[in-house]
Amino acid sequence: MTDTTADAVPEATPRLEHFPVSFFATVMGTAGLAIATHRLELLLGTRQIASLVLGGIAAGLFVAVAAFYAAKLVRHRKAVVAEWRHPVRLSFFPTISISLLLLSIIALPLDRAVAGVLWTAGAALHLTFSLVILSTWIGHRPFEPPHLNPAWFIPAVGNIIVPLAGVPLGHVEISWFFFSFGVMFWIVLLTLVFNRLIFHNPLPDRLLPTLMILVAPPAVGFLAYTKLDGGVLDGFARLFFYAGIGLFLLVATKIGQMARIRFALSWWAYSFPLAALASAASVFAEIIGGTPALVLFVALYAVLAVVLAILVVATMRAIAAGAICQPEH
């Protein structure tokens, strides 16, 4: 009998040293799909089975990815430090805390105590990441315009996500703090990122998918603001929602260019922003009513489902081919 135990241990893979922190984006995308599916089930009045299955997959994926990255931290500490010092990869470390925050949203209807633990851990870790990363950006002069890309929005997005479970858990003022900090952070970065995109060299192909991250802050901002404001659809809420739609349409003009690039883990940048926009459309449809808003949500959800299916298949093929977790050339 062949001993397969060693094959299951993260340390057995020679690619462990190059296991990227951006792998947590797969958790964000899957969790985002679970949350959007939950919204679809609520609107259709169906049993909440698919969202629970997807939520369980997201939780299992988080455990697996965290186990591999923890093994990397133990066995290849220098590689983790190199990622932390990398001007682009640094922004992906908050995907760890964001994953915890998204899992807290998924857990909320099932167990408030578990959701509270996940939310507390995620919020505390994300605040730490945000402050340390901002401090690094402010005090570390080697950063240059070509290093700036939409992935820098990730820390801001996490702050805006906090109210989604924070308000139902009763942490209203803390949620307002995170929301305010995140929105301020987003507005500043939005100006910087557009300056880089317009006046400097185009993004390299491997970073083109990160353009979709432009959609995430306003989409999540709409969801968070409506939570904080009791579900009122005022002018500020509409600003967030329509900004998200506008940025989505802007990114869609680049779909032909993005479709031609080779698969990389950066493709997962398509997933969570789409999920956030679909969830925002569902809340918008619920508040405003009417067929057009509902059709918009269903259309966005269909796009999200197709994109996630493509990402899963492409990722599995890349893993089987050994094309992931390789050193950059």
Side-chain angles (χ1 to χ4, degrees):
M1 181 180 295
T2 303
D3 183 8
T4 59
T5 303
D7 295 333
V9 179
E11 68 195 58
T13 172
R15 299 196 298 270
L16 179 62
E17 183 177 357
H18 305 290
F19 187 86
V21 69
S22 57
F23 229 114
F24 282 96
T26 63
V27 182
M28 289 178 58
T30 308
L33 178 62
I35 294 167
T37 301
H38 179 65
R39 295 296 312 173
L40 179 64
E41 292 167 338
L42 290 176
L43 286 175
L44 296 178
T46 59
R47 296 181 63 186
Q48 298 167 21
I49 297 176
S51 60
L52 288 177
V53 172
L54 289 168
I57 293 172
L61 189 57
F62 175 81
V63 171
V65 174
F68 275 95
Y69 205 75
K72 175 181 176 177
L73 178 61
V74 171
R75 304 186 184 283
H76 303 285
R77 191 178 302 271
K78 290 183 178 179
V80 174
V81 172
E83 277 194 295
W84 180 258
R85 292 176 177 173
H86 194 279
V88 175
R89 295 181 184 178
L90 172 64
S91 299
F92 285 93
F93 277 87
T95 57
I96 302 172
S97 50
I98 293 175
S99 295
L100 288 170
L101 291 169
L102 295 175
L103 290 175
S104 74
I105 298 170
I106 293 171
L108 192 57
L110 305 173
D111 192 316
R112 288 180 62 87
V114 172
V117 171
L118 291 170
W119 181 87
T120 300
L125 182 60
H126 194 81
L127 180 60
T128 301
F129 276 139
S130 296
L131 293 175
V132 173
I133 289 172
L134 268 174
S135 178
T136 301
W137 286 345
I138 292 171
H140 196 59
R141 296 302 176 223
F143 290 125
E144 298 178 358
H147 296 149
L148 188 62
N149 66 84
W152 282 38
F153 284 122
I154 294 174
V157 171
N159 285 286
I160 304 173
I161 288 174
V162 169
L164 299 186
V167 172
L169 287 169
H171 307 298
V172 178
E173 292 304 319
I174 295 176
S175 295
W176 270 113
F177 161 73
F178 276 96
F179 176 79
S180 303
F181 186 38
V183 169
M184 178 193 67
F185 197 171
W186 166 53
I187 292 172
V188 172
L189 284 173
L190 186 64
T191 304
L192 294 174
V193 168
F194 266 91
N195 177 279
R196 183 260 185 267
L197 293 175
I198 294 171
F199 295 108
H200 297 274
N201 292 332
L203 289 174
D205 284 352
R206 70 179 184 278
L207 290 180
L208 274 178
T210 65
L211 285 173
M212 187 62 75
I213 300 176
L214 291 170
V215 176
V220 177
F222 171 81
L223 292 168
Y225 182 74
T226 52
K227 281 284 186 187
L228 289 162
D229 205 35
V232 176
L233 190 64
D234 59 14
F236 202 43
R238 283 184 167 90
L239 186 151
F240 277 118
F241 181 72
Y242 289 121
I245 295 294
L247 287 168
F248 171 74
L249 294 175
L250 175 62
V251 175
T253 65
K254 299 292 184 181
I255 191 66
Q257 184 180 358
M258 292 189 290
R260 290 193 295 269
I261 67 174
R262 292 181 59 186
F263 173 77
L265 276 178
S266 60
W267 277 30
W268 278 90
Y270 297 132
S271 60
F272 178 73
L274 273 174
L277 189 60
S279 293
S282 74
V283 173
F284 184 83
E286 183 180 13
I287 296 173
I288 202 170
T291 302
L294 184 60
V295 169
L296 175 62
F297 165 54
V298 173
L300 287 170
Y301 182 86
V303 172
L304 170 65
V306 170
V307 168
L308 259 292
I310 292 171
L311 289 175
V312 170
V313 172
T315 303
M316 295 304 292
R317 286 179 176 175
I319 291 174
I324 288 181
C325 304
Q326 297 290 345
E328 290 187 357
H329 299 290

